[in-house]
Short mmCIF file of all heavy atoms in Angstrom, two decimals:
data_model
loop_
_atom_site.label_atom_id
_atom_site.label_comp_id
_atom_site.label_asym_id
_atom_site.label_seq_id
_atom_site.Cartn_x
_atom_site.Cartn_y
_atom_site.Cartn_z
N MET H 1 0.80 -1.22 0.00
CA MET H 1 0.00 0.00 -0.01
C MET H 1 0.85 1.28 0.00
O MET H 1 0.30 2.37 -0.07
CB MET H 1 -0.91 0.02 1.23
CG MET H 1 -1.94 -1.10 1.26
SD MET H 1 -3.06 -0.92 2.67
CE MET H 1 -1.91 -1.16 4.03
N GLY H 2 2.17 1.13 0.10
CA GLY H 2 3.03 2.30 0.16
C GLY H 2 2.86 3.09 1.44
O GLY H 2 3.07 4.31 1.46
N ARG H 3 2.51 2.40 2.53
CA ARG H 3 2.26 3.07 3.82
C ARG H 3 3.58 3.19 4.60
O ARG H 3 3.84 2.41 5.51
CB ARG H 3 1.21 2.30 4.61
CG ARG H 3 -0.11 2.11 3.88
CD ARG H 3 -0.89 3.41 3.76
NE ARG H 3 -1.61 3.70 4.97
CZ ARG H 3 -2.90 3.43 5.17
NH1 ARG H 3 -3.60 2.84 4.20
NH2 ARG H 3 -3.48 3.74 6.30
N ILE H 4 4.39 4.15 4.24
CA ILE H 4 5.72 4.27 4.83
C ILE H 4 5.65 4.67 6.30
O ILE H 4 6.48 4.21 7.11
CB ILE H 4 6.58 5.28 4.03
CG1 ILE H 4 8.02 5.30 4.55
CG2 ILE H 4 5.97 6.66 4.04
CD1 ILE H 4 8.76 4.02 4.43
N GLN H 5 4.67 5.51 6.68
CA GLN H 5 4.60 5.95 8.08
C GLN H 5 4.31 4.77 9.01
O GLN H 5 4.97 4.59 10.04
CB GLN H 5 3.52 7.03 8.25
CG GLN H 5 3.52 7.70 9.62
CD GLN H 5 4.86 8.31 9.98
OE1 GLN H 5 5.50 8.98 9.17
NE2 GLN H 5 5.32 8.04 11.20
N GLU H 6 3.30 3.97 8.63
CA GLU H 6 3.00 2.78 9.42
C GLU H 6 4.19 1.81 9.42
O GLU H 6 4.51 1.19 10.43
CB GLU H 6 1.76 2.06 8.89
CG GLU H 6 0.45 2.78 9.13
CD GLU H 6 0.12 3.79 8.05
OE1 GLU H 6 1.05 4.18 7.29
OE2 GLU H 6 -1.05 4.20 7.95
N GLY H 7 4.88 1.74 8.28
CA GLY H 7 6.05 0.87 8.18
C GLY H 7 7.15 1.29 9.14
O GLY H 7 7.79 0.44 9.77
N LYS H 8 7.35 2.60 9.27
CA LYS H 8 8.38 3.09 10.19
C LYS H 8 8.01 2.79 11.65
O LYS H 8 8.87 2.45 12.47
CB LYS H 8 8.58 4.59 10.01
CG LYS H 8 9.32 4.95 8.72
CD LYS H 8 9.53 6.46 8.60
CE LYS H 8 10.38 6.80 7.38
NZ LYS H 8 10.62 8.25 7.25
N GLU H 9 6.71 2.91 11.97
CA GLU H 9 6.26 2.60 13.33
C GLU H 9 6.48 1.12 13.65
O GLU H 9 6.92 0.76 14.75
CB GLU H 9 4.78 2.97 13.48
CG GLU H 9 4.53 4.48 13.43
CD GLU H 9 3.05 4.81 13.40
OE1 GLU H 9 2.22 3.88 13.53
OE2 GLU H 9 2.71 6.00 13.26
N ILE H 10 6.18 0.28 12.68
CA ILE H 10 6.39 -1.16 12.87
C ILE H 10 7.87 -1.47 12.98
O ILE H 10 8.28 -2.33 13.77
CB ILE H 10 5.72 -1.95 11.73
CG1 ILE H 10 4.19 -1.80 11.81
CG2 ILE H 10 6.11 -3.42 11.76
CD1 ILE H 10 3.46 -2.23 10.56
N HIS H 11 8.68 -0.74 12.22
CA HIS H 11 10.13 -0.89 12.31
C HIS H 11 10.60 -0.63 13.75
O HIS H 11 11.41 -1.38 14.30
CB HIS H 11 10.82 0.07 11.35
CG HIS H 11 12.31 -0.07 11.29
ND1 HIS H 11 13.11 0.77 10.54
CD2 HIS H 11 13.16 -0.94 11.90
CE1 HIS H 11 14.38 0.40 10.69
NE2 HIS H 11 14.44 -0.62 11.51
N GLY H 12 10.06 0.42 14.37
CA GLY H 12 10.41 0.73 15.76
C GLY H 12 10.04 -0.41 16.69
O GLY H 12 10.79 -0.74 17.63
N PHE H 13 8.88 -1.00 16.47
CA PHE H 13 8.42 -2.13 17.27
C PHE H 13 9.37 -3.32 17.11
O PHE H 13 9.70 -4.01 18.07
CB PHE H 13 7.01 -2.49 16.84
CG PHE H 13 6.24 -3.34 17.83
CD1 PHE H 13 4.93 -3.73 17.56
CD2 PHE H 13 6.80 -3.74 19.03
CE1 PHE H 13 4.21 -4.50 18.45
CE2 PHE H 13 6.08 -4.51 19.95
CZ PHE H 13 4.79 -4.89 19.65
N VAL H 14 9.81 -3.55 15.87
CA VAL H 14 10.74 -4.65 15.58
C VAL H 14 12.03 -4.48 16.37
O VAL H 14 12.55 -5.43 16.99
CB VAL H 14 11.04 -4.71 14.07
CG1 VAL H 14 12.25 -5.60 13.77
CG2 VAL H 14 9.82 -5.23 13.28
N VAL H 15 12.57 -3.25 16.37
CA VAL H 15 13.81 -2.97 17.10
C VAL H 15 13.61 -3.18 18.60
O VAL H 15 14.46 -3.76 19.28
CB VAL H 15 14.29 -1.54 16.82
CG1 VAL H 15 15.49 -1.19 17.69
CG2 VAL H 15 14.65 -1.38 15.34
N LYS H 16 12.45 -2.74 19.09
CA LYS H 16 12.15 -2.90 20.51
C LYS H 16 12.14 -4.36 20.94
O LYS H 16 12.60 -4.71 22.04
CB LYS H 16 10.78 -2.26 20.80
CG LYS H 16 10.38 -2.28 22.27
CD LYS H 16 9.03 -1.60 22.46
CE LYS H 16 8.61 -1.64 23.94
NZ LYS H 16 7.28 -1.00 24.14
N LEU H 17 11.65 -5.23 20.05
CA LEU H 17 11.60 -6.67 20.37
C LEU H 17 12.90 -7.39 20.03
O LEU H 17 13.03 -8.60 20.25
CB LEU H 17 10.45 -7.33 19.60
CG LEU H 17 9.03 -6.89 19.98
CD1 LEU H 17 8.00 -7.57 19.09
CD2 LEU H 17 8.74 -7.18 21.45
N GLY H 18 13.89 -6.66 19.47
CA GLY H 18 15.19 -7.25 19.16
C GLY H 18 15.15 -8.19 17.97
O GLY H 18 15.96 -9.13 17.90
N LEU H 19 14.24 -7.94 17.02
CA LEU H 19 14.11 -8.84 15.88
C LEU H 19 14.69 -8.24 14.59
O LEU H 19 14.51 -8.80 13.52
CB LEU H 19 12.63 -9.16 15.64
CG LEU H 19 11.92 -9.95 16.74
CD1 LEU H 19 10.41 -10.03 16.45
CD2 LEU H 19 12.51 -11.34 16.86
N ASP H 20 15.39 -7.14 14.70
CA ASP H 20 15.86 -6.43 13.51
C ASP H 20 16.98 -7.16 12.78
O ASP H 20 17.30 -6.84 11.64
CB ASP H 20 16.29 -5.00 13.83
CG ASP H 20 17.17 -4.91 15.07
OD1 ASP H 20 16.91 -5.64 16.03
OD2 ASP H 20 18.13 -4.10 15.06
N ASN H 21 17.62 -8.15 13.41
CA ASN H 21 18.67 -8.92 12.74
C ASN H 21 18.17 -10.30 12.26
O ASN H 21 18.95 -11.09 11.76
CB ASN H 21 19.88 -9.11 13.65
CG ASN H 21 20.75 -7.86 13.68
OD1 ASN H 21 20.90 -7.19 12.68
ND2 ASN H 21 21.32 -7.55 14.83
N ASP H 22 16.89 -10.56 12.46
CA ASP H 22 16.31 -11.81 11.95
C ASP H 22 16.23 -11.70 10.42
O ASP H 22 15.76 -10.69 9.88
CB ASP H 22 14.92 -12.03 12.54
CG ASP H 22 14.26 -13.27 11.99
OD1 ASP H 22 14.44 -14.35 12.58
OD2 ASP H 22 13.56 -13.16 10.97
N GLU H 23 16.68 -12.74 9.71
CA GLU H 23 16.79 -12.64 8.26
C GLU H 23 15.44 -12.40 7.57
O GLU H 23 15.33 -11.65 6.60
CB GLU H 23 17.45 -13.89 7.68
CG GLU H 23 16.68 -15.19 7.78
CD GLU H 23 17.04 -15.97 9.03
OE1 GLU H 23 17.47 -15.35 10.03
OE2 GLU H 23 16.85 -17.19 9.01
N PHE H 24 14.36 -13.03 8.09
CA PHE H 24 13.05 -12.83 7.48
C PHE H 24 12.53 -11.43 7.73
O PHE H 24 12.01 -10.76 6.83
CB PHE H 24 12.06 -13.87 8.02
CG PHE H 24 12.38 -15.28 7.64
CD1 PHE H 24 12.69 -16.23 8.60
CD2 PHE H 24 12.42 -15.66 6.31
CE1 PHE H 24 13.00 -17.54 8.26
CE2 PHE H 24 12.73 -16.96 5.95
CZ PHE H 24 13.03 -17.91 6.94
N VAL H 25 12.65 -10.98 8.95
CA VAL H 25 12.17 -9.65 9.29
C VAL H 25 13.00 -8.58 8.59
O VAL H 25 12.46 -7.63 8.01
CB VAL H 25 12.21 -9.43 10.83
CG1 VAL H 25 11.76 -8.02 11.17
CG2 VAL H 25 11.34 -10.46 11.54
N ALA H 26 14.33 -8.75 8.61
CA ALA H 26 15.22 -7.76 7.99
C ALA H 26 14.95 -7.61 6.49
O ALA H 26 14.88 -6.50 5.97
CB ALA H 26 16.67 -8.12 8.24
N SER H 27 14.80 -8.74 5.80
CA SER H 27 14.57 -8.67 4.36
C SER H 27 13.26 -7.97 4.04
O SER H 27 13.18 -7.22 3.06
CB SER H 27 14.60 -10.07 3.73
OG SER H 27 13.55 -10.87 4.24
N ASN H 28 12.26 -8.18 4.87
CA ASN H 28 10.97 -7.52 4.61
C ASN H 28 10.98 -6.05 5.03
O ASN H 28 10.23 -5.25 4.46
CB ASN H 28 9.85 -8.27 5.34
CG ASN H 28 9.40 -9.50 4.56
OD1 ASN H 28 8.68 -9.40 3.58
ND2 ASN H 28 9.88 -10.68 4.98
N LEU H 29 11.82 -5.69 6.00
CA LEU H 29 12.00 -4.28 6.32
C LEU H 29 12.65 -3.56 5.12
O LEU H 29 12.19 -2.49 4.69
CB LEU H 29 12.90 -4.12 7.55
CG LEU H 29 12.21 -4.12 8.91
CD1 LEU H 29 13.25 -4.21 10.03
CD2 LEU H 29 11.35 -2.87 9.10
N VAL H 30 13.69 -4.18 4.58
CA VAL H 30 14.36 -3.59 3.42
C VAL H 30 13.38 -3.49 2.24
O VAL H 30 13.29 -2.47 1.57
CB VAL H 30 15.59 -4.42 3.02
CG1 VAL H 30 16.19 -3.90 1.72
CG2 VAL H 30 16.64 -4.39 4.12
N ARG H 31 12.61 -4.58 2.02
CA ARG H 31 11.63 -4.59 0.91
C ARG H 31 10.58 -3.50 1.12
O ARG H 31 10.19 -2.83 0.16
CB ARG H 31 10.96 -5.95 0.82
CG ARG H 31 9.93 -6.03 -0.32
CD ARG H 31 9.24 -7.37 -0.39
NE ARG H 31 10.10 -8.41 -0.97
CZ ARG H 31 10.65 -9.38 -0.33
NH1 ARG H 31 10.47 -9.48 1.01
NH2 ARG H 31 11.40 -10.26 -0.92
N MET H 32 10.13 -3.31 2.34
CA MET H 32 9.11 -2.30 2.62
C MET H 32 9.63 -0.92 2.25
O MET H 32 8.96 -0.14 1.54
CB MET H 32 8.70 -2.35 4.08
CG MET H 32 7.57 -1.39 4.48
SD MET H 32 8.13 0.28 4.90
CE MET H 32 9.14 -0.06 6.37
N TYR H 33 10.82 -0.57 2.71
CA TYR H 33 11.39 0.74 2.38
C TYR H 33 11.63 0.88 0.87
O TYR H 33 11.37 1.93 0.30
CB TYR H 33 12.71 0.95 3.14
CG TYR H 33 12.51 1.36 4.60
CD1 TYR H 33 12.82 0.49 5.63
CD2 TYR H 33 12.02 2.63 4.91
CE1 TYR H 33 12.65 0.86 6.96
CE2 TYR H 33 11.83 3.02 6.24
CZ TYR H 33 12.14 2.13 7.27
OH TYR H 33 11.96 2.51 8.57
N ALA H 34 12.12 -0.19 0.25
CA ALA H 34 12.42 -0.14 -1.18
C ALA H 34 11.14 0.03 -2.00
O ALA H 34 11.09 0.86 -2.92
CB ALA H 34 13.14 -1.41 -1.62
N MET H 35 10.08 -0.72 -1.68
CA MET H 35 8.84 -0.62 -2.44
C MET H 35 8.13 0.72 -2.20
O MET H 35 7.34 1.16 -3.03
CB MET H 35 7.91 -1.78 -2.08
CG MET H 35 8.38 -3.11 -2.67
SD MET H 35 7.22 -4.48 -2.40
CE MET H 35 5.86 -3.97 -3.46
N CYS H 36 8.44 1.35 -1.06
CA CYS H 36 7.88 2.68 -0.80
C CYS H 36 8.76 3.77 -1.40
O CYS H 36 8.47 4.97 -1.25
CB CYS H 36 7.71 2.90 0.70
SG CYS H 36 6.41 1.90 1.44
N GLY H 37 9.85 3.37 -2.06
CA GLY H 37 10.71 4.33 -2.74
C GLY H 37 11.70 5.04 -1.83
O GLY H 37 12.36 5.98 -2.27
N VAL H 38 11.84 4.59 -0.58
CA VAL H 38 12.77 5.24 0.37
C VAL H 38 14.07 4.43 0.35
O VAL H 38 14.39 3.70 1.28
CB VAL H 38 12.16 5.30 1.79
CG1 VAL H 38 13.03 6.14 2.72
CG2 VAL H 38 10.75 5.86 1.75
N MET H 39 14.82 4.58 -0.73
CA MET H 39 15.99 3.75 -0.95
C MET H 39 17.14 4.07 0.00
O MET H 39 17.98 3.20 0.28
CB MET H 39 16.45 3.86 -2.39
CG MET H 39 15.49 3.23 -3.40
SD MET H 39 15.13 1.48 -3.04
CE MET H 39 16.75 0.75 -3.20
N GLU H 40 17.21 5.29 0.47
CA GLU H 40 18.29 5.66 1.41
C GLU H 40 18.19 4.84 2.68
O GLU H 40 19.19 4.26 3.16
CB GLU H 40 18.19 7.16 1.73
CG GLU H 40 19.50 7.74 2.22
CD GLU H 40 19.45 9.26 2.32
OE1 GLU H 40 19.04 9.90 1.34
OE2 GLU H 40 19.82 9.76 3.38
#
């Protein structure tokens, strides 16, 4: 849906739970930012 704001909030939740280095979660975080056009 290109919902970058909600994506960033969920990203914060992921970090809080310590899941940001999980390969499945990390790849989908990268995909979310990429599909929303936030390549930086």
Side-chain angles (χ1 to χ4, degrees):
M1 296 185 295
R3 304 289 279 263
I4 186 63
Q5 189 56 45
E6 289 87 343
K8 287 182 175 181
E9 292 173 5
I10 293 165
H11 184 184
F13 198 180
V14 166
V15 174
K16 184 178 178 181
L17 295 177
L19 295 173
D20 46 321
N21 281 324
D22 178 89
E23 67 267 26
F24 294 117
V25 178
S27 63
N28 280 283
L29 272 170
V30 174
R31 180 182 283 108
M32 184 274 297
Y33 281 110
M35 288 185 69
C36 291
V38 188
M39 291 304 298
E40 201 171 310

